[in-house]
Amino acid sequence: MDISALYNVSSSAIANAATNASTSKTVADESFGSMLDSAMSNISDTNSLMKDAEEEQIKFALGLSENTHDLSIAAAKASTALQYTVALRDKFIEAYKEIMQIQM
């Protein structure tokens, strides 16, 4: 995709996007370690959200909290984070299988 025509646009946001797109090749060269660290951070964030949702459920069940909004918000955050994590895992597995099928 060639966006070199965007260099002459007067909008600073579009000009910055065009400049960043031309330097995206260096961003694509991230090491596998940094990508793995990011994935592990995502897993710990998901675990934290799941723990928060479980704590809200326990509070509600024990009668310590009558606010159902906090319970539903925590459950929705945990569900969304878990779905995202599962989708990432599936993509990693798919990529691994493709790499394993490459013949040398």
Side-chain angles (χ1 to χ4, degrees):
M1 182 164 94
D2 184 24
I3 61 170
S4 60
L6 294 177
Y7 288 112
N8 299 325
V9 176
S10 62
S11 171
S12 62
I14 294 175
N16 288 339
T19 304
N20 291 340
S22 66
T23 60
S24 66
K25 292 177 184 170
T26 58
V27 173
D29 294 336
E30 290 182 352
S31 68
F32 180 75
S34 67
M35 207 179 323
L36 185 61
D37 289 340
S38 175
M40 295 307 289
S41 173
N42 181 32
I43 290 172
S44 66
D45 291 344
T46 301
N47 286 338
S48 174
L49 289 170
M50 296 289 286
K51 181 182 168 202
D52 292 344
E54 186 176 348
E55 287 175 1
E56 286 295 327
Q57 289 174 349
I58 291 171
K59 284 182 191 177
F60 187 75
L62 293 175
L64 300 174
S65 172
E66 295 180 6
N67 191 352
T68 59
H69 297 291
D70 290 341
L71 176 62
S72 62
I73 289 170
K77 284 182 179 180
S79 175
T80 303
L82 184 61
Q83 289 174 358
Y84 180 71
T85 303
V86 168
L88 278 178
R89 180 206 60 191
D90 292 345
K91 287 295 183 180
F92 277 125
I93 290 173
E94 182 181 323
Y96 175 77
K97 287 180 180 178
E98 285 185 27
I99 289 171
M100 293 307 294
Q101 289 178 358
I102 294 175
Q103 294 183 5
M104 294 192 188

